[in-house]
Amino acid sequence: MPSDTSEPTTTYRALLGNREFAGLYASFTLTVAASTLSGFALGTLVDERTGSPFLTAVSMYGATFATVLGAMTLMSVADGNRPRRTLVALQCVSLLGVAAQAIPQLPLTARFALLLTLGFFQSLGTGTRMGLLTEVVPTAAYVPARSLMNITSGGTAVLGYALGAVLLRHLTPQQVFLTATALTGVALVVVATTVRDHSIRPPRRPGLRQTWTTNTALLSRKGPRALLLNLWVPNGLIVGCEALFISYAPDHAGILLAAGSAGMLLGDLTVGRFLTAARRDRCAFPLRLLLAAPYLLFALHPPLPVATVAVFLAGAGFAATLPLQERLLALTPDPVRGQVQGVESAGRMTWQGIGAALAGALAQYLTPATTITALAAISLAVTLLSRPYVRMTTAKGV
């Protein structure tokens, strides 16, 4: 990794002066807002109808299960030579899926089927968007660009959860779904009017064979495997902790969710905007520890203010994702950057779904506080055991 501690840092203002990046950024912001509102409304609806911690957790994060299907089958479309057309088509699918959730009295089985369908296509959209990102900004600006998008994700989630909690006091979940549909529609318009197709991509025939070929090459190398493990599993287990907030504190879940998102925002801002590559590299491991350690306090059933601070601090630990993604990008050949980033994102999202499902299943037999503590301990163990393999990725050619 680079060792220069005085390297210039690309400013967010300079990034937003790039029309295409501004379009990707704005559409991403709107999509996250729509997803946050939709997920909170669905989780509340399922909790009201079933009272099941497992189904509530899966309803909030269930779409992540289908992202692995996208990574395994059609993720090669992310590196096609018509990325704008692909992204617009995928945004149209998302619009239809979110709108369908607003149908009154839609059976829960149909709602979960929609979640899986949306998760599949959203994984392809993420890969396509990240592939475009590496082309519309210089390589040196990649981490600040990802940081800004992560900050947006955290900040929008803070507002989304808070707004969702307020809206659901006055509106039905179906009306909140309609609000999410409108946001998704605006995101579609933004993508269609700002992003262009890039002709520098080599002609490729995307499909199952191409996807499997690239994935096999990626996972056969020890360096990328170690990075993917550390990007996926600790994050997913902590998201499982977050999935239990509604069951742990029904009246204060919005506060805890917002605190976690605010911590993520602060962590990504600090790591992505103010640290050099060398410093980012050094802070990856401590941030991974910070991601899980505060949740061990839940074993003591802390009062709400203490729990809120713990969740906020743990949220900052998600910023370890940035230096690990930077290492993975450095090990990735240019022609498959979209697919590799899509696989990384899909795996991370899938593990979030696994973490949520695991948390919900354990909470059926244990208390939410005990389950949160156990998942945090496992996350710490994975981070500690995988550290030697992650450190090997600093060597060239690993």
Side-chain angles (χ1 to χ4, degrees), residues 11-75:
T11 65
Y12 292 151
R13 179 178 297 181
L15 284 169
L16 292 173
N18 180 325
R19 183 173 182 270
E20 282 192 278
F21 174 78
L24 289 173
Y25 169 77
S27 65
F28 175 73
T29 302
L30 292 165
T31 300
V32 171
S35 178
T36 302
L37 286 178
S38 179
F40 196 75
L42 184 57
T44 302
L45 182 65
V46 171
D47 185 57
E48 290 175 352
R49 289 191 184 181
T50 68
S52 167
F54 174 75
L55 291 178
T56 300
V58 171
S59 67
M60 292 185 68
Y61 298 99
T64 60
F65 285 116
T67 60
V68 71
L69 298 178
M72 293 173 61
T73 57
L74 296 179
M75 190 57 75

Side-chain angles (χ1 to χ4, degrees), residues 16-263:
L16 292 173
N18 180 325
R19 183 173 182 270
E20 282 192 278
F21 174 78
L24 289 173
Y25 169 77
S27 65
F28 175 73
T29 302
L30 292 165
T31 300
V32 171
S35 178
T36 302
L37 286 178
S38 179
F40 196 75
L42 184 57
T44 302
L45 182 65
V46 171
D47 185 57
E48 290 175 352
R49 289 191 184 181
T50 68
S52 167
F54 174 75
L55 291 178
T56 300
V58 171
S59 67
M60 292 185 68
Y61 298 99
T64 60
F65 285 116
T67 60
V68 71
L69 298 178
M72 293 173 61
T73 57
L74 296 179
M75 190 57 75
S76 56
V77 303
D79 292 305
N81 59 2
R82 300 296 297 274
R84 175 187 175 276
R85 181 172 63 182
T86 301
L87 193 55
V88 167
L90 293 170
Q91 285 287 144
C92 287
V93 174
S94 294
L95 177 62
L96 293 174
V98 176
Q101 290 282 16
I103 298 174
Q105 303 305 317
L106 188 69
L108 289 183
T109 52
R111 294 190 185 279
F112 282 112
L114 281 171
L115 274 181
L116 294 176
T117 301
L118 283 173
F120 176 83
F121 287 104
Q122 285 173 354
S123 69
L124 304 182
T126 298
T128 304
R129 182 178 281 108
M130 292 302 104
L132 276 167
L133 180 64
T134 64
E135 296 183 8
V136 302
V137 301
T139 301
Y142 172 78
V143 167
R146 286 298 297 261
S147 167
L148 181 56
M149 296 180 83
N150 288 349
I151 290 169
T152 294
S153 177
T156 303
V158 170
L159 296 176
Y161 287 129
L163 180 61
V166 172
L167 289 178
L168 286 170
R169 293 180 183 272
H170 305 284
L171 303 177
T172 65
Q174 284 72 26
Q175 290 171 319
V176 176
F177 284 131
L178 288 175
T179 303
T181 301
L183 293 174
T184 305
V186 176
L188 170 61
V189 173
V190 171
V191 167
T193 56
T194 60
V195 177
R196 65 182 178 86
D197 277 321
H198 287 249
S199 60
I200 64 173
R201 299 188 179 202
R204 304 170 71 223
R205 183 184 295 275
L208 181 62
R209 176 179 295 182
Q210 183 62 49
T211 299
W212 273 97
T213 298
T214 300
N215 287 351
T216 300
L218 172 67
L219 296 175
S220 65
R221 300 166 60 197
K222 289 188 291 186
R225 275 205 313 270
L227 289 171
L228 290 173
L229 172 69
N230 219 253
L231 281 161
W232 292 347
V233 181
N235 280 21
L237 293 172
I238 297 307
V239 168
C241 296
E242 296 176 344
L244 291 177
F245 286 165
I246 290 178
S247 301
Y248 176 78
D251 296 331
H252 305 292
I255 295 175
L256 293 176
L257 288 167
S261 297

Side-chain angles (χ1 to χ4, degrees), residues 319-376:
T321 299
L322 287 170
L324 296 178
Q325 287 172 334
E326 189 173 23
R327 291 191 201 179
L328 182 63
L329 183 67
L331 298 176
T332 303
D334 290 349
V336 294
R337 282 186 168 184
Q339 180 173 338
V340 170
Q341 290 184 88
V343 168
E344 182 273 319
S345 176
R348 189 155 34 88
M349 295 294 289
T350 298
W351 265 96
Q352 289 177 10
I354 293 173
L358 179 61
L362 289 175
Q364 297 284 104
Y365 305 98
L366 306 174
T367 66
T370 301
T371 302
I372 288 171
T373 305
L375 292 178

